[in-house]
Amino acid sequence: MTQPIGPERAREDLSIIRETIDRSTGSRFLADFIRTQASLFILFGILGCVGCLVHWYALLRYPTSPATLPIIAGMWSAIMAFTGVIKVRGFFRRSKAFNMDFLTYYRNLTHFSFFQVYLPVGLAGIILFILFIKIGLWQHIVPTIVVIMGIIINSLSVFFIDKRLNLTGYFYILLGGAGLLFFDGALLLFCGMVFLSFTVLGSLLHLYGGFQE
């Protein structure tokens, strides 16, 4: 007759399972990186909201100026480049915290098993983007990106045991779905909502910490 498993044995088994998952996926590094990038989420959200306001004002105030679109494109490129530099700086800081060189840390952070989770979703997204451009529905690209982001976040439950991660994923799936269904003529407003959600997400990470491994 099978003996019942006691609490201590259950904790030991769970610890072994988590260590195995960590070795095969690098989840510990990913969890640590998410926890330490709350300020980046807040910054990206604030800059994005400001960018949406500037974009809206420029199109409203100077709709026919030939310089409007290049200036807008330059502004968004600068925002993306700046936040990208901050993110890479975060990679270097965390690699030093783990006493690793940058490449070793990055390999642990972006383990092949993690790519196996989101690469098929990303490829499906690229196909959809090409389709939207081909049929002239480019305004659906941003909401679709948000849906895909939600799917990827939700699928991270493979690596983390935390219902907040699932809720965050479902939120972005629903937000992207709302963008596809109801924001055809208000893309800038939708983008502002997405950027605002990043600020809220970063604030919640500051208050409650990251996701549990």
Side-chain angles (χ1 to χ4, degrees):
M1 185 174 179
T2 304
Q3 295 292 327
I5 298 176
E8 187 65 30
R9 173 63 183 278
R11 283 193 292 269
E12 291 177 359
D13 290 345
L14 181 59
S15 176
I16 292 172
I17 292 171
R18 286 182 175 177
E19 289 177 4
T20 302
I21 292 174
D22 181 55
R23 285 195 299 270
S24 62
T25 64
S27 62
R28 177 167 60 94
F29 296 94
L30 185 59
D32 171 81
F33 186 76
I34 292 175
R35 276 193 291 265
T36 57
Q37 298 307 299
S39 297
L40 177 61
F41 285 117
I42 295 173
L43 176 64
F44 184 59
I46 293 173
L47 290 177
C49 288
V50 172
C52 287
L53 289 173
V54 172
H55 191 148
W56 172 79
Y57 177 79
L59 291 179
L60 184 68
R61 185 72 174 80
Y62 308 103
T64 59
S65 173
T68 299
L69 291 180
I71 290 175
I72 290 174
M75 176 196 68
W76 285 116
S77 297
I79 289 174
M80 296 301 173
F82 178 71
T83 53
V85 169
I86 298 297
K87 182 173 70 174
V88 172
R89 184 169 174 264
F91 287 153
F92 278 102
R93 291 180 64 183
R94 297 318 299 163
S95 66
K96 289 182 179 179
F98 283 98
N99 294 317
M100 295 179 177
D101 61 81
F102 176 78
L103 291 179
T104 301
Y105 173 76
Y106 191 75
R107 281 196 298 267
N108 280 287
L109 182 66
T110 56
H111 196 277
F112 180 69
S113 296
F114 179 61
F115 280 105
Q116 285 180 309
V117 172
Y118 74 79
L119 186 59
V121 181
L123 288 175
I126 292 173
I127 293 171
L128 286 176
F129 302 159
I130 295 172
L131 173 64
F132 288 148
I133 293 172
K134 184 177 180 180
I135 63 180
L137 296 177
W138 55 269
Q139 70 272 20
H140 290 336
I141 292 178
V142 174
T144 302
I145 290 175
V146 176
V147 171
I148 291 173
M149 182 176 68
I151 294 172
I152 292 173
I153 292 173
N154 196 275
S155 62
L156 286 176
S157 59
V158 174
F159 307 119
F160 300 95
I161 305 173
D162 197 318
K163 64 180 180 180
R164 293 173 295 177
L165 193 63
N166 293 88
L167 293 175
T168 302
Y170 282 123
F171 169 78
Y172 281 109
I173 291 172
L174 294 174
L175 180 60
L180 289 170
L181 296 173
F182 306 115
F183 287 86
D184 278 359
L187 184 59
L188 273 177
L189 176 60
F190 174 75
C191 289
M193 293 168 59
V194 174
F195 284 120
L196 180 61
S197 75
F198 283 126
T199 299
V200 173
L201 177 61
S203 300
L204 291 175
L205 285 173
H206 263 309
L207 290 173
Y208 301 108
F211 301 113
Q212 184 179 357
E213 297 165 85

